[in-house]
Amino acid sequence: MAITAGSARDPTIRQVLAAVGADLAGIKVAVLGFGSIGQASLSLLLDKLGSPAQLIIADLETQLPHLEQALASLKADYTGELTVLGVRGH
């Protein structure tokens, strides 16, 4: 199930997890785009709901050098399985 940013009428992540009987600690979460919005969204998720079992960060290969500091901070704080993927642009 994909959960994306949307309108105010969309269910919250907490509501979706409750509806499907899932716990964030037992699922894999992917962040597609780790710029300022991706970083802020992930920070909010981790702060409010805790850590997922696995975290995947995906961004354009060309952006990864610019994200080194944010990724290093995440690696220092996140204790679960972390995968960083560089994606080729068109």
Side-chain angles (χ1 to χ4, degrees):
M1 169 186 298
I3 302 172
T4 61
S7 73
R9 295 178 302 177
D10 292 338
T12 66
I13 293 173
R14 184 173 295 171
Q15 290 169 328
V16 171
L17 291 172
V20 299
D23 179 13
L24 188 65
I27 65 172
K28 183 186 308 185
V29 171
V31 178
L32 307 177
F34 202 54
S36 60
I37 295 172
Q39 291 174 41
S41 297
L42 179 59
S43 178
L44 184 62
L45 175 79
L46 296 175
D47 183 52
K48 298 298 181 186
L49 297 180
S51 295
Q54 182 179 3
L55 185 55
I56 301 169
I57 304 295
D59 209 317
L60 294 172
E61 285 180 334
T62 56
Q63 294 303 309
L64 291 181
H66 305 289
L67 301 172
E68 286 181 6
Q69 185 175 5
L71 290 169
S73 177
L74 178 61
K75 289 175 184 176
D77 295 337
Y78 178 69
T79 58
E81 182 180 343
L82 176 63
T83 304
V84 178
L85 301 173
V87 180
R88 290 188 186 149
H90 298 331

